[in-house]
Amino acid sequence: MAETAKIIDGKAISEKLRGDIRKDVEALINDGIVPGLAVVIVGNNPASRTYVNNKKKACAQVGIHSEEYALPEETTQEQLIALVEELNGRPDIHGILVQLPLPKHIDDEAIIAAISPKKDVDAFHAENVGHIMIGDHKFLPCTPAGVMELLRESNIDVCGKECVIIGRSNIVGKPMAMLLLHQNGTVTICHSRTKNLAEVTRRADILVVAIGKAKFVTADMVKPGAVVIDVGMDRDENGKLCGDVDFASVSQVAGYITPVPGGVGPMTITMLLKNTLTAAKL
Ligand code: GUN
């Protein structure tokens, strides 16, 4: 009889943490400060629209004021920077989030650089990335921070573990490696040029998958009993939401697994709320 993995319930863990955040927000409001988040979306990417709607809903749930700036696809880089600068100067806005990806004619890095590091609730600005590298951060990037909370809440100790990450993006893979390293994991980052990928992933005690390919990780790539964290948000052949991990087969081998939906996704948004609260306190 195959082993069946324990499900790490990101939705339940999120709800618990959001309850704590809500209390902190209420205390801050009693002190006369209403935490405020500006969410900027450019163009008509349907996935981005869904994410932004979820972020706004979550803000309302914990009492954070949110404002949406929905700009047309043809917005210029100069116009977007002008909006960011205006938001940088607003004392009632503590966090600024520009939803990525941006249209092709806009340079993501130029926009991220324009956001005040103090309001950079995504922790994408080079100054905040540097702080994370050193380990003296104020903000952590939302998805990797959410993964660390899932591990912590599940009593999974990272110290000395073989941690393998598939994906080397600035948003997930690279900061994820840093956070696992800070917890004394032995970290390997795999990517599209990695040779013998399955051999590397089979060494993992903790496997984090963030590549954006539906059901890419199969049972033969996973060590029995491993912790498998699925950051993917993909569509399967029938258009149904799924992750980067083939849940049906991998859950028979892994010790712990996050589902999609209901795993990492809600935690990412919860960490955004936490960062906005931190920005308002600062
Ligand atoms: N696009 C996909 N994930 C993210 C995120 O965490 N923050 C922003 N701003 N854009 C994203």
Side-chain angles (χ1 to χ4, degrees):
M1 206 20 206
E3 185 182 356
T4 303
K6 288 202 181 93
I7 310 286
I8 299 179
D9 186 347
K11 196 157 179 276
I13 294 171
S14 255
E15 285 305 321
K16 181 185 141 201
L17 296 176
R18 285 183 200 190
D20 297 341
I21 292 170
R22 195 189 158 80
K23 282 185 201 128
D24 277 11
V25 168
E26 277 165 8
L28 208 57
I29 291 173
N30 284 336
D31 290 341
I33 300 166
V34 181
L37 174 70
V39 182
V40 182
I41 176 170
V42 184
N44 307 308
N45 181 323
S48 290
R49 174 36 65 203
T50 305
Y51 296 146
V52 164
N53 287 348
N54 289 341
K55 287 170 184 176
K56 282 169 30 189
K57 253 190 253 165
C59 282
Q61 191 192 353
V62 299
I64 291 176
H65 166 74
S66 75
E67 288 179 12
E68 178 183 310
Y69 294 82
L71 306 181
E73 181 80 23
E74 56 277 11
T75 302
T76 66
Q77 182 162 313
E78 291 68 31
Q79 286 169 326
L80 184 53
I81 289 179
L83 171 61
V84 167
E85 283 173 352
E86 181 194 321
L87 295 167
N88 282 342
R90 287 257 308 268
D92 58 327
I93 291 295
H94 306 98
I96 302 170
L97 180 142
V98 179
Q99 186 66 30
L100 303 178
L102 289 165
K104 282 195 182 61
H105 64 277
I106 299 177
D107 174 15
D108 292 5
E109 288 305 322
I111 303 305
I112 290 167
I115 297 171
S116 163
K118 292 187 172 65
K119 299 192 176 187
D120 173 34
V121 285
D122 270 320
F124 291 167
H125 192 287
E127 189 176 313
N128 288 322
V129 174
H131 282 297
I132 291 157
M133 192 102 179
I134 301 170
D136 76 340
H137 54 267
K138 294 186 180 67
F139 303 121
L140 287 177
C142 301
T143 299
V147 171
M148 296 311 288
E149 287 290 336
L150 287 177
L151 296 175
R152 207 171 60 84
E153 291 284 335
S154 309
N155 296 314
I156 294 162
D157 188 14
V158 175
C159 185
K161 299 277 168 63
E162 287 284 346
C163 304
V164 175
I165 300 159
I166 316 182
R168 56 173 152 183
S169 70
N170 289 333
I171 297 185
V172 183
K174 286 189 219 168
M176 189 75 249
M178 215 38 69
L179 300 193
L180 290 165
L181 181 62
H182 289 330
Q183 299 283 322
N184 302 310
T186 301
V187 183
T188 304
I189 306 181
C190 300
H191 46 77
S192 54
R193 307 293 174 87
T194 296
K195 297 202 174 77
N196 305 322
L197 178 66
E199 243 170 63
V200 183
T201 59
R202 272 198 300 269
R203 290 206 303 260
D205 301 310
I206 299 174
L207 179 62
V208 181
V209 194
I211 44 167
K213 287 188 182 167
K215 302 183 184 179
F216 179 83
V217 170
T218 45
D220 57 302
M221 299 168 74
V222 176
K223 175 159 92 176
V227 178
V228 179
I229 306 287
D230 189 349
V231 178
M233 286 271 231
D234 314 305
R235 298 273 165 189
D236 71 8
E237 57 283 2
N238 303 316
K240 193 165 160 264
L241 190 62
C242 71
D244 292 349
V245 174
D246 179 32
F247 186 89
S249 72
V250 173
S251 60
Q252 299 300 308
V253 181
Y256 290 83
I257 190 167
T258 62
V260 177
V264 174
M267 291 300 290
T268 296
I269 298 184
T270 300
M271 294 301 108
L272 170 68
L273 302 174
K274 188 173 166 198
N275 283 346
T276 304
L277 174 65
T278 301
K281 282 181 182 170
L282 292 173

